[in-house]
Amino acid sequence: MHRRAVTGLMATLALMAVNGRPAAAQSLTDLVSELFVFGQCGVPLCFDPDFEETGNLQTEHGRHYLRDVVPRNDALILSFQEGIGSVVGSLPPTAMAGGRIWSNGERSASFGPVFSERAETLGMGRFFLGLQATAFQVTNFSGVPADNLVLNFFHEDSDVALGPDPGLGLPFFERDVLQVRTNLDLDYTVATAVLSAGLTSFLDVGFAVPVVRTSLRGTANAQILSLGNALAHRFDGTAEAPVLQASNSVSGSATGIGDVSARMKINLTGGTTVGRAPPPVGMALLADVTFPTGQEEDLLGLGEGRGRALAILSLNQGWFSPHLNAGYLLREGNLRDSNFDRDAVLGTVGFDARASDAVTVGADLITRWELADAEYPMPGPVTFVGRPTLTVESSSIPDAARHFIDLAVGLKYMLGKDMILVTNALLPVRAAGLRPHVLWTLGLQGTFR
């Protein structure tokens, strides 16, 4: 029976992997940029109603908000795109092994954690296979609901005044603000296959292959706000009857292989040997390398390699097994540039406990502390010169520090001799970046010779 279940999950992985985006379709990253296309010229933040007649972006006021004209407008869209692109990287890696750890011919007190690591290895000649799917929908951007994000785009500081340029806000038409309210619907399903092998009693090697399906739907409602009572911009209409509102929507999906990782774990306290109970205190080191195999432009991967090193401490206290993981995440770009300020410090503390012979429950507090700000931080507020003094925020999205804290609560249930059902709910505790309210995980795993 369990073989049929494994075969079904493997078939699902294969079908997801081949059901990708058509070659001629736009990438999901392009769709995010297209969300800010209004008016007639087909360029983000361009809305000159005279463009069709003149064919010239320099006419009237059509070019005053363009990304290549106003750097802060470009930075705002880049920050928005970066937040979306980093979602897939916020998922914690699945555990390298789990299930039964054999000693004295009997199974261990529990079946192990879901996302964290314990010190015990599989033992020589044993294998672990895990197949699990995680699904979630993004609901907030640093605590702000994803269905009501406000982005404010500002006029260029044009040099039209007599004498020295006084700054943004004079003339008063420079106070026309393009405000865009976005409703973002971003769904992920990640199916991951993990295979590990015990090469010796103290050494495990393995790999994890995720298949990612991403679905993006977004709407943008734009409005020109005349904050200086000198309206000079419009989406359509005439100067006497201007059209000050416009909307746009985009949708698309992509499926493919995500970022594949290879792993190695070394037990430092004697390893796992059939016929010998594990020590009450276990220590291990884990290293893995993640390759940029997922298409970054379709939000399937991060577009750069990463390396992770963990120190693992776990206690074998009969029915209750606490564990601690501490480590470092190294990114490829930092290694290439000899600049490590974009790396992260990792930490996880939790436990897994036997509720009965067939049931294990567990919980983990998972943290990732980024050492630097985002590559494209949210621009700050703008203060217009002149009277009255006016300050406008660039966005409703706070430029929050990228410190991620998640709580994972899971259950493992034995279905048969070698098959375990895995369920887990991961709850983001701290608002940082684009996050869901909850990530659900369901899977099967087992150990065998």
Side-chain angles (χ1 to χ4, degrees):
M1 177 179 178
H2 68 271
R3 291 182 179 178
R4 289 197 298 269
V6 171
T7 301
L9 280 177
M10 292 295 287
T12 301
L13 282 169
L15 288 173
M16 288 181 65
V18 299
N19 184 24
R21 170 176 56 88
Q26 284 183 294
S27 72
L28 297 190
T29 302
D30 289 338
L31 288 180
V32 174
S33 179
E34 187 180 307
L35 190 61
F36 300 98
V37 174
F38 308 103
Q40 304 173 35
C41 58
V43 178
L45 308 184
C46 172
F47 46 81
D48 186 357
D50 299 326
F51 178 79
E52 285 188 338
E53 298 177 9
T54 65
N56 184 0
L57 285 176
Q58 307 297 324
T59 62
E60 296 292 333
H61 299 275
R63 64 183 298 275
H64 292 158
Y65 296 81
L66 294 180
R67 298 175 64 177
D68 58 351
V69 173
V70 187
R72 71 164 32 252
N73 291 348
D74 182 53
L76 184 56
I77 292 181
L78 287 174
S79 180
F80 189 73
Q81 289 177 316
E82 182 182 23
I84 294 174
S86 64
V87 170
V88 69
S90 66
L91 297 177
T94 57
M96 186 174 176
R100 294 177 171 180
I101 300 295
W102 291 85
S103 61
N104 294 322
E106 298 179 358
R107 64 178 181 270
S108 65
S110 72
F111 302 140
V114 177
F115 287 113
S116 56
E117 298 286 347
R118 59 183 177 183
E120 289 83 5
T121 47
L122 289 168
M124 182 184 295
R126 293 188 59 79
F127 296 88
F128 167 83
L129 176 63
L131 299 169
Q132 63 187 50
T134 298
F136 63 94
Q137 180 184 48
V138 168
T139 58
N140 69 91
F141 200 143
S142 296
V144 179
D147 60 359
N148 190 26
L149 302 173
V150 179
L151 306 178
N152 291 320
F153 298 98
F154 296 93
H155 196 282
E156 71 168 325
D157 186 6
S158 54
D159 186 13
V160 297
L162 297 177
D165 181 12
L168 184 63
L170 291 175
F172 279 113
F173 64 73
E174 291 184 356
R175 295 191 178 204
D176 288 357
V177 175
L178 173 58
Q179 184 175 92
V180 180
R181 292 181 177 270
T182 65
N183 182 343
L184 190 64
D185 190 355
L186 184 61
D187 298 326
Y188 271 91
T189 301
V190 183
T192 304
V194 180
L195 179 62
S196 301
L199 297 187
T200 70
S201 64
F202 61 87
L203 175 63
D204 289 351
V205 296
F207 62 88
V209 180
V211 177
V212 183
R213 177 167 179 81
T214 308
S215 176
L216 171 68
R217 295 174 298 278
T219 60
N221 296 304
Q223 182 175 5
I224 300 173
L225 305 178
S226 181
L227 304 182
N229 297 319
L231 180 67
H233 303 87
R234 62 186 188 273
F235 291 108
D236 207 340
T238 64
E240 293 73 22
V243 175
L244 302 181
Q245 295 180 335
S247 62
N248 192 14
S249 62
V250 299
S251 64
S253 62
T255 304
I257 298 293
D259 290 345
V260 175
S261 63
R263 307 174 179 179
M264 178 179 66
K265 180 164 69 173
I266 301 175
N267 184 281
L268 304 177
T269 50
T272 299
T273 303
V274 175
R276 189 179 69 187
V281 178
M283 292 182 290
L285 298 176
L286 181 144
D288 69 16
V289 177
T290 301
F291 304 95
T293 50
Q295 293 183 345
E296 181 184 14
E297 63 271 21
D298 278 328
L299 311 180
L300 304 179
L302 293 183
E304 65 175 356
R306 286 95 69 200
R308 181 175 62 126
L310 287 181
I312 304 166
L313 174 67
S314 60
L315 305 181
N316 188 357
Q317 303 296 317
W319 65 274
F320 183 75
S321 300
H323 48 260
L324 173 67
N325 301 169
Y328 192 82
L329 178 67
L330 174 67
R331 293 187 169 90
E332 175 189 2
N334 297 347
L335 184 62
R336 183 177 57 248
D337 301 335
S338 298
N339 181 5
F340 304 103
D341 61 352
R342 288 183 56 247
D343 294 338
V345 175
L346 310 174
T348 299
V349 61
F351 71 90
D352 49 279
R354 184 186 66 187
S356 70
D357 286 344
V359 176
T360 288
V361 296
D364 286 299
L365 192 65
I366 305 169
T367 66
R368 187 177 90 247
W369 235 247
E370 298 288 344
L371 299 181
D373 296 331
E375 183 177 0
Y376 301 105
M378 282 287 173
V382 168
T383 299
F384 294 114
V385 301
R387 293 286 183 269
T389 301
L390 181 63
T391 298
V392 179
E393 293 288 343
S394 294
S395 171
S396 64
I397 305 169
D399 191 19
R402 298 189 303 160
H403 299 161
F404 299 91
I405 304 176
D406 299 327
L407 174 65
V409 180
L411 179 147
K412 292 186 176 183
Y413 179 76
M414 176 170 282
L415 298 177
K417 179 180 178 181
D418 298 317
M419 186 62 59
I420 295 172
L421 175 69
V422 180
T423 63
N424 189 86
L426 189 143
L427 310 169
V429 175
R430 188 178 186 277
L434 272 168
R435 306 303 305 275
H437 284 319
V438 62
L439 296 85
W440 298 102
T441 297
L442 180 66
L444 295 172
Q445 60 182 220
T447 55
F448 56 93
R449 287 190 179 276

